[in-house]
Amino acid sequence: MTSPHIATIVLAEKSADLMQAAMQAVSAIDDLKILSDNRVFEFQTSPTTKQEALLTALQDRNISADICVQPADGRKKSLLICDMDSTLIGQECIDELADFAGVKSRVSEITERAMRGEIDFEGALIERVGLLKDLDISVLETCFKTRIVLNKGAATLCRTMKANGAKTVIVSGGFTFFTEKVAAACGFEAHHANVLLENDRKLTGDVQRPILGRDAKRERLEEYSQSLGGAQSAIAIGDGANDLAMIKAAGLGVAFYAKPAVAAASHCAINYTDLTTALYFQGYSDKDFVSA
Ligand SMILES: [Mg+2]
């Protein structure tokens, strides 16, 4: 016998009317629970229920929502593993650094292609870092302070899972200079990223090897989840092609405002709401949230 499934519906906007309409559209009857007033609900559904079918039912009534259908058992994860750039923060750090170096358009174009999976991540990183050669180290600090903004829900997601005993880790193809600060700001226990090499307070235009890319992200997921019962115990969140392997491997892989290739490979997607939706998908409700 297959275990029952749970469907979680997170509306793009808070509305009593839309909530009623959404419940009707997806026939939410069994074991219905409200996770956030007039915005988020979950209900029990058959294992044969297709996520796409529910999404279509909502779209047919012009209701925008992020949804997830998954087995009821094991929904609350014991490992949170997150990408940083364009996931926990709204920016791509390397693009912002490139702006200070006067090479933003060239670098952004390479970033975009790499995140779409059109070009090899490692080669693309080496090429872009090379364009930052001789940039003063102080620019990194200025860049963090003036350009980098946490995405909504980043700290709440991390702190809530941590308060519930989960391990929390950032794995980024970006740079340790930034992951360290973002980890501290959100409360992540660990962070992994690439190390920008410097000499005499200037970037050398190179990064430490081996480069942390797609496979390394999945490997970190496997390492951290090993003592927690395996990859099934993890929720992985990311937006880019280098997140694909960890998103596929995780018990719950979430595409966050992701490139099409990433969205297609994930279990579910966040396209309308914020990072707290990753908590609702695990069954947490507003009253469970820990924000500071
Ligand atoms: Mg990213």
Side-chain angles (χ1 to χ4, degrees):
M1 202 187 119
T2 18
S3 79
H5 277 45
I6 297 286
T8 312
I9 313 285
V10 184
L11 299 182
E13 55 179 309
K14 186 171 177 163
S15 153
D17 290 347
L18 284 177
M19 186 86 155
Q20 281 304 319
M23 285 177 180
Q24 276 176 12
V26 298
S27 310
I29 301 161
D30 291 339
D31 209 13
L32 176 68
K33 285 198 188 84
I34 307 298
L35 303 181
S36 182
D37 284 343
N38 297 326
R39 201 171 71 83
V40 186
F41 63 95
E42 64 171 36
F43 60 102
Q44 194 173 309
T45 186
S46 142
T48 57
T49 299
K50 292 268 181 288
Q51 196 167 274
E52 297 72 32
L54 297 186
L55 203 52
T56 306
L58 293 169
Q59 282 165 349
D60 286 349
R61 300 188 190 204
N62 288 320
I63 300 169
S64 301
D66 290 323
I67 79 170
C68 183
V69 178
Q70 62 187 318
D73 292 341
R75 273 196 305 152
K76 277 207 167 70
K77 302 302 183 191
S78 44
L79 171 64
L80 168 67
I81 190 155
C82 281
D83 169 50
M84 179 179 72
D85 295 76
S86 301
T87 298
L88 291 172
I89 60 174
Q91 299 72 33
E92 293 287 331
C93 290
I94 195 162
D95 291 1
E96 299 305 320
L97 285 176
D99 196 17
F100 287 96
V103 289
K104 184 162 187 175
S105 63
R106 241 177 109 189
V107 166
S108 300
E109 192 253 343
I110 303 171
T111 303
E112 179 66 18
R113 288 173 58 211
M115 289 303 115
R116 283 181 180 280
E118 292 168 7
I119 50 172
D120 159 62
F121 176 78
E122 298 195 1
L125 185 74
I126 292 167
E127 191 180 342
R128 287 175 293 166
V129 170
L131 293 167
L132 302 178
K133 190 174 187 305
D134 292 334
L135 195 66
D136 199 279
I137 293 299
S138 66
V139 171
L140 274 68
E141 188 70 41
T142 309
C143 179
F144 180 76
K145 281 188 181 149
T146 60
R147 301 285 180 90
I148 306 305
V149 181
L150 291 183
N151 273 332
K152 196 173 171 216
T156 303
L157 168 62
C158 179
R159 291 185 202 287
T160 303
M161 284 191 67
K162 207 164 145 186
N164 281 271
K167 254 188 189 318
T168 53
V169 182
I170 296 175
V171 279
S172 167
F175 309 114
T176 50
F177 180 88
F178 296 100
T179 53
E180 183 182 11
K181 290 177 159 51
V182 171
C186 296
F188 280 88
E189 288 164 67
H191 66 98
H192 299 276
N194 291 302
V195 181
L196 282 169
L197 299 176
E198 60 175 279
N199 184 30
D200 208 12
R201 307 275 308 153
K202 289 192 186 311
L203 295 182
T204 66
D206 205 356
V207 282
Q208 192 173 294
R209 310 302 159 89
I211 286 173
L212 195 160
R214 182 195 288 210
D215 293 335
K217 287 196 180 205
R218 195 202 63 241
E219 283 158 21
R220 292 291 190 281
L221 163 71
E222 285 163 0
E223 282 163 27
Y224 278 103
S225 63
Q226 203 167 29
S227 62
L228 304 169
Q232 198 56 36
S233 66
I235 177 170
I237 310 176
D239 72 296
N242 64 340
D243 300 312
L244 260 177
M246 79 168 181
I247 282 177
K248 273 190 192 167
L252 188 64
V254 184
F256 185 76
Y257 294 85
K259 306 297 181 200
V262 183
S266 63
H267 302 104
C268 56
I270 298 176
N271 289 320
Y272 296 102
T273 60
D274 63 53
L275 286 164
T276 58
T277 290
L279 291 170
Y280 295 128
F281 285 170
Q282 296 177 72
Y284 290 101
S285 64
D286 283 350
K287 66 172 171 28
D288 304 317
F289 285 10
V290 178
S291 50

